[in-house]
Amino acid sequence: MPFSPIILWTDALVYLFVLTVFFWVWYVRRNEHLLMPWKRVGHSASGMSALTVLLFFLLAGLLDTVHFRPALDHKSPSGETIYSVEVLSLLDLILTPLRTNVEKTYSAPLATHLYAKETIESPDGGQVRAFARLEFGGSHLQDPEKEYFPDILGRIVKGLACGFLVWLGMAICLISYLSRRHQQNFLQSMSAIWRRTSEIPWYAILITLLILLLLIGSSAMLAAHYHVLGTDKVGQDVLYQSLKSIRVALVIGTLTTLIMLPFALLLGIMAGYFRGWVDDVIQYIYTTLNSIPSVLLIAAAVLMMQVYIETHAELFETIASRADLRLLFLCMILGVTSWTSLCRLLRGEALKLRELEYIQAAHAFGVSHWRIISRHILPNVMHIVLIATVMDFSGLVLAEAVLSYVGVGVDPSMISFGTMINAARLEMAREPMVWWALLAAFGFMFTLVLSANLFADAVQNALDPRTRTLKLSSRFFQRYGKDEISPNKTSGSMTPAGSSNSK
């Protein structure tokens, strides 16, 4: 085989998570009462735009999760194929030009020369201090001073045209699908999207998709012959590093959340439902855990893990497996230390729910505690769980950057936003200042976190019943006005003035 498949620990967990999500989506689609709240999420223009951006990040992360070891050209004396110790992914395979085109040292974005002067031998045998040409960036230009700007402009125009054509094809396919689904002609479906009368804000999705495809198209055309975001100290492409950092951020956000949820759900609902000594013990546990600085606890655990890895190096065939184990252990530590806030929220909600009439009626009929928790308590706190989960995702992505910055995050051999920012810390202090690595890491991380927060807002507005009630009340007052509202004496409710309640 030309390659040997490799499944790391985090890869297996990501595959399991994807299968769980597909099964959950299939289950939700078969139950209308579960599907209706998620349909309301689809009504938010900002939420759908954010979800479109998140899907591109998820696609990059999944491509970077399929790992393999390529086969070497030579074979063993017995004729067996020898595989490289380097572990690659599908994303590495797609980004091969960015991964292999390594320069000598720093170069600015879209540059054709090095960022700092060095000693160069002149044709007459002397030595001069000048900016040397890059080995790959702009190497196709014979005269960079004259050909640089026309070449850059031409490639940007070609990339924008390719991105627009891809978007146009996707838009035509979408409108054709909607016209068949709603039994309309093509122009009616297109008019519904253009006039923003469709149930799902397809206009927002298409606009976001157009912007993304234009950026991807122009970047792809430029990346074939230039370093779009420059290179770092060892000459590695910064755009490649930024794309490789997406998987680490997604793994930190998703796996840590999955580890955190069982602790928060079980202990939070038990504390609020059973009260008494159970509540006292659980409160004592998370209060004690909160009293310990989380950074110190994480640093101690990561350092212990690092000592174990170094003393048992024979257990790891490749550097990637060693770095992956440290990443998995970091997710576990973050999950153990970050469940307390959600547990406190669920405890308060369970304390309120256990006093409601239908819970008291279930107790009177002799329903077991487990059935009450699973059938009545748990479904009524799921909106809090979903909202807190999506909101915590952003905090965990930022936590990885902070931990890697102080040296207790992911393995130094693994590319992440934190390691990029940590490397850029020294680059910002040199002269001339190297600013593009920090800007690239900040830009990608800001886009990911902002998209997650906007989608979390849409989920909160759709799933939180109190938010929906406030929205309906505000729309009611905006429509009729406060002066036109009169109290209903028979029912005590507010009705518009002049409206009849008689049957």
Side-chain angles (χ1 to χ4, degrees), residues 68-91:
F68 61 91
R69 293 170 60 185
L72 299 178
D73 296 334
H74 57 278
K75 296 186 177 182
S76 64
S78 60
E80 296 180 355
T81 304
I82 301 177
Y83 296 99
S84 172
V85 295
E86 183 182 14
V87 177
L88 302 178
S89 66
L90 288 181
L91 186 65

Side-chain angles (χ1 to χ4, degrees), residues 112-170:
T112 58
H113 294 74
L114 291 177
Y115 192 59
K117 291 183 178 180
E118 63 178 19
T119 303
I120 303 176
E121 293 186 3
S122 59
D124 57 358
Q127 293 182 344
V128 295
R129 295 282 296 177
F131 297 100
R133 283 287 301 272
L134 297 178
E135 186 177 354
F136 299 100
S139 59
H140 64 290
L141 301 178
Q142 299 297 329
D143 188 359
E145 294 183 359
K146 296 180 179 180
E147 301 175 5
Y148 177 75
F149 287 105
D151 185 69
I152 291 289
L153 184 59
R155 293 184 181 278
I156 291 176
V157 171
K158 290 180 182 179
L160 294 177
C162 292
F164 180 77
L165 290 177
V166 173
W167 174 84
L168 186 62
M170 297 177 68

Side-chain angles (χ1 to χ4, degrees), residues 247-398:
R247 178 186 179 272
V248 177
L250 294 177
V251 167
I252 289 285
T254 54
L255 295 187
T256 303
T257 301
L258 294 179
I259 295 171
M260 172 191 69
L261 278 180
F263 292 98
L265 277 174
L266 180 63
L267 298 180
I269 294 178
M270 285 179 57
Y273 178 78
F274 292 107
R275 299 189 301 183
W277 66 270
V278 177
D279 187 17
D280 293 338
V281 170
I282 294 175
Q283 283 193 74
Y284 179 80
I285 292 174
Y286 69 66
T287 303
T288 304
L289 193 59
N290 278 338
S291 65
I292 304 174
S294 58
V295 175
L296 296 180
L297 186 61
I298 294 170
V302 170
L303 291 176
M304 290 172 56
M305 185 63 187
Q306 185 64 24
V307 171
Y308 175 82
I309 292 175
E310 292 178 355
T311 55
H312 298 79
E314 68 279 359
L315 300 177
F316 309 100
E317 296 183 359
T318 60
I319 298 177
S321 60
R322 183 189 67 185
D324 183 77
L325 182 62
R326 178 168 173 174
L327 175 63
L328 178 62
F329 191 74
L330 179 62
C331 293
M332 295 174 60
I333 295 300
L334 286 173
V336 171
T337 57
S338 59
W339 59 270
T340 55
S341 58
L342 180 58
C343 179
R344 187 181 293 109
L345 288 174
L346 295 178
R347 172 186 174 273
E349 193 71 13
L351 283 172
K352 181 185 71 175
L353 291 175
R354 76 180 306 277
E355 302 298 333
L356 297 180
E357 289 80 2
Y358 63 91
I359 302 293
Q360 299 298 327
H363 282 296
F365 281 105
V367 181
S368 64
H369 294 304
W370 168 249
R371 189 170 181 83
I372 292 175
I373 292 175
S374 60
R375 297 296 298 272
H376 298 297
I377 302 293
L378 184 60
N380 284 283
V381 299
M382 283 308 296
H383 68 281
I384 296 178
V385 174
L386 291 172
I387 295 165
T389 297
V390 182
M391 293 297 293
D392 287 343
F393 173 84
S394 304
L396 293 170
V397 173
L398 298 175

Side-chain angles (χ1 to χ4, degrees), residues 219-239:
S219 299
M221 284 294 177
L222 291 171
H225 293 85
Y226 297 93
H227 299 287
V228 179
L229 296 179
T231 58
D232 61 359
K233 185 177 181 180
V234 296
Q236 196 170 19
D237 193 273
V238 175
L239 178 59

Side-chain angles (χ1 to χ4, degrees), residues 395-411:
L396 293 170
V397 173
L398 298 175
E400 183 275 326
V402 174
L403 293 174
S404 297
Y405 176 77
V406 298
V408 293
V410 300
D411 192 85

Side-chain angles (χ1 to χ4, degrees), residues 175-194:
I175 297 173
S176 301
Y177 167 76
L178 294 177
S179 62
R180 289 195 303 267
R181 181 179 180 183
H182 299 292
Q183 296 181 355
Q184 298 174 343
N185 57 43
F186 187 85
L187 294 178
Q188 287 177 338
S189 299
M190 186 172 63
S191 177
I193 295 176
W194 179 259

